Amino acid sequence: MAELGPQDHIVLGLIARHGPLTPYDIKARLEESVDKFWPIPHAQLYRVPPRLADQGLLREEAEESGRRRRVFHLTDAGRAELTRWLGDPTSPQPETRDPAQLKLFFADLGDPGDVVALARNQVAEHQHWLDMYRDLYAEIDPDDSVRATSRARILRLGIMHEQAYVDYWRELAANPDNLPESRQ
């Protein structure tokens, strides 16, 4: 079996959580959940379920009438792979591909005012994400035993992450010439 990537485990997890899904349903479930921190291009997302079915991790069922949608079910092998993946405490190194960090790295090559403008823009961007995560956290239904705990965990991480970015960029905008302090 080919090594599985994050998008494969996302599809397995969404089907395990919500039951059989069409690729369109997977896209909708992705958009309401992990898409905020792990987006997958729709074209790629539509290729994942058939590939997982070819590997025996999903079972495909085509509707015989109507729109003839393709519905994907989790197999025992798919459940075992999801369980194996979740039980593995290791993860690949995180990928941070933040264009603002690239600009910050090369800021000494530009106009000094560019750093302040960049920092102010980043405060606004990260404040937007922070507000969105806080709103989503406030909307968690504690009676939703399927998702309440996992949503609360990931949203709390998102809130803390975005708060750190807001604090950093705000401090940089106010004091662009100060050397950053290390808080160890």
Side-chain angles (χ1 to χ4, degrees):
M1 180 183 331
E3 187 168 330
L4 301 180
Q7 69 279 356
D8 301 312
H9 291 110
I10 289 169
V11 169
L12 291 173
L14 290 173
I15 293 173
R17 173 166 285 153
H18 300 288
L21 299 171
T22 67
Y24 178 83
D25 295 331
I26 294 168
K27 180 181 80 72
R29 294 296 186 171
L30 176 84
E31 288 173 349
E32 72 182 20
S33 62
V34 301
D35 192 52
K36 306 280 189 292
F37 58 91
W38 200 278
I40 301 173
H42 293 156
Q44 181 183 357
L45 185 62
Y46 278 81
R47 289 190 300 264
V48 171
R51 185 171 43 74
L52 293 176
D54 288 344
Q55 294 177 10
L57 302 174
L58 297 177
R59 178 177 54 80
E60 182 178 347
E61 185 177 278
E63 293 179 337
E64 294 185 21
S65 62
R67 294 171 41 203
R68 298 182 187 261
R69 298 177 311 161
R70 299 164 69 185
V71 180
F72 291 89
H73 303 255
L74 192 65
T75 64
D76 289 342
R79 169 82 55 200
E81 169 54 27
L82 185 60
T83 300
R84 183 208 62 75
W85 176 70
L86 290 169
D88 181 355
T90 63
S91 293
Q93 287 289 91
E95 299 175 28
T96 301
R97 295 175 58 102
D98 183 346
Q101 290 181 23
L102 281 178
K103 288 184 175 188
L104 186 61
F105 180 79
F106 290 111
D108 59 304
L109 303 174
D111 185 275
D114 293 345
V115 170
V116 173
L118 174 66
R120 287 180 179 155
N121 178 270
Q122 290 302 299
V123 168
E125 288 290 322
H126 288 284
Q127 187 66 54
H128 166 77
W129 283 96
L130 178 59
D131 294 342
M132 182 186 65
Y133 287 151
R134 284 180 174 156
D135 289 346
L136 290 169
Y137 191 89
E139 294 170 4
I140 292 174
D141 178 0
D143 295 327
D144 182 357
S145 62
V146 174
R147 300 185 308 168
T149 302
S150 63
R151 287 180 63 86
R153 286 176 182 149
I154 194 64
L155 288 170
R156 180 75 180 124
L157 177 61
I159 289 166
M160 294 173 74
H161 176 86
E162 293 302 328
Q163 185 65 62
Y165 271 115
V166 168
D167 293 345
Y168 174 80
W169 289 110
R170 188 173 283 142
E171 180 181 325
L172 182 62
N175 303 299
D177 296 324
N178 289 350
L179 285 177
E181 293 181 29
S182 175
R183 297 181 184 180
Q184 295 181 4

